[in-house]
Amino acid sequence: MSCKEIARVAGSNACSKAQVQFLDDTVQNKKVWLRRNEFGKLQLCRIFFFEFTNDGSERYHGHIVMLGRRVEEVHMDAYRI
């Protein structure tokens, strides 16, 4: 799987877990840089952005940080319940 596909699945899973709708079924790569992993090896670090909604009227944002092909963090903006 490509990094973008891994990020898309991670975003979709996070939205399912939070019981919100993952919008547009896609993520967008916003930033790429080099960072060292826990073993000191340089790897590409990427940030992907996505959007979600809880009620269909407002869009909220989230982001996924990946180091290499591993998801490091998934963050979702606060939203109304």
Side-chain angles (χ1 to χ4, degrees):
M1 293 175 84
S2 72
C3 288
K4 186 173 183 177
E5 179 63 19
I6 294 168
R8 189 193 65 76
V9 170
S12 179
N13 289 344
C15 288
S16 293
K17 190 174 184 179
Q19 298 179 345
V20 295
Q21 183 183 2
F22 183 60
L23 294 176
D24 305 325
D25 198 33
T26 190
V27 294
Q28 181 180 9
N29 191 357
K30 281 290 191 181
K31 188 174 179 182
V32 178
W33 71 97
L34 289 174
R35 190 171 103 186
R36 295 194 184 273
N37 64 15
E38 64 271 11
F39 304 110
K41 182 180 175 184
L42 281 176
Q43 288 189 304
L44 287 177
C45 191
R46 298 174 175 91
I47 294 182
F48 291 92
F49 285 87
F50 64 94
E51 293 183 323
F52 65 95
T53 186
N54 64 332
D55 61 4
S57 65
E58 289 192 49
R59 286 180 173 251
Y60 299 95
H61 301 278
H63 71 265
I64 301 157
V65 178
M66 292 187 64
L67 183 59
R69 297 172 64 85
R70 187 178 68 194
V71 175
E72 291 283 304
E73 172 189 338
V74 178
H75 175 78
M76 298 170 67
D77 288 346
Y79 57 93
R80 291 183 179 251
I81 297 178

